[in-house]
Amino acid sequence: MIFILIINIKFKDKEDMEYFINNFLILQKYCLDKEKDFLLQYEYAISDKNKNKIIIIEKYKNKDAYLNIHRKSKQFLNFKENIKNLNLIIDGESFTI
């Protein structure tokens, strides 16, 4: 079953958001190149209403690929480490098709 994550992130300031996006783009490049066997979509968009809010959309062939490959990758763990001190609020939800 297709596994989808929709993650809303609100930042306290623009600098934190820019730092997050720059780090996300590095991770995105890796994921789209190295995880293409199971990754179907991996992108972000900035809200039209709130310029300090983004959404991340992730789509995988299955939940196992997300949990046991993507989330355990060195690149994802580095990304998490790089953003851990940012002032942000994360609200996410997962879906299956």
Side-chain angles (χ1 to χ4, degrees):
M1 296 182 83
I2 302 292
F3 181 73
I4 301 170
L5 283 174
I6 307 292
I7 305 163
N8 292 289
I9 306 172
K10 187 173 182 182
F11 299 88
K12 180 151 177 110
D13 58 55
K14 184 175 180 157
E15 291 77 23
D16 277 356
M17 187 174 89
E18 289 173 351
Y19 181 84
F20 180 95
I21 290 172
N22 286 334
N23 278 271
F24 177 82
L25 290 172
I26 293 167
L27 178 61
Q28 180 189 47
K29 182 177 183 333
Y30 167 82
C31 292
L32 294 175
D33 185 45
K34 302 296 184 186
E35 298 182 352
K36 57 189 166 198
D37 291 342
F38 59 86
L39 181 65
L40 305 174
Q41 184 177 5
Y42 201 75
E43 56 195 357
Y44 80 96
I46 299 172
S47 170
D48 290 335
K49 291 166 98 176
N50 181 341
K51 294 301 179 189
N52 285 346
K53 185 176 181 182
I54 67 171
I55 188 170
I56 295 178
I57 303 165
E58 302 179 38
K59 189 186 294 186
Y60 301 86
K61 287 187 176 178
N62 56 61
K63 188 174 184 177
D64 184 62
Y66 165 73
L67 291 174
N68 295 311
I69 303 172
H70 175 74
R71 284 192 56 90
K72 293 181 178 180
S73 72
K74 178 182 174 189
Q75 289 74 16
F76 180 77
L77 295 173
N78 286 343
F79 170 77
K80 294 272 291 186
E81 180 68 22
N82 288 342
I83 66 162
K84 73 179 181 182
N85 294 320
L86 297 180
N87 194 352
L88 51 82
I89 299 170
I90 297 176
D91 179 36
E93 192 168 353
S94 61
F95 304 85
T96 54
I97 303 174

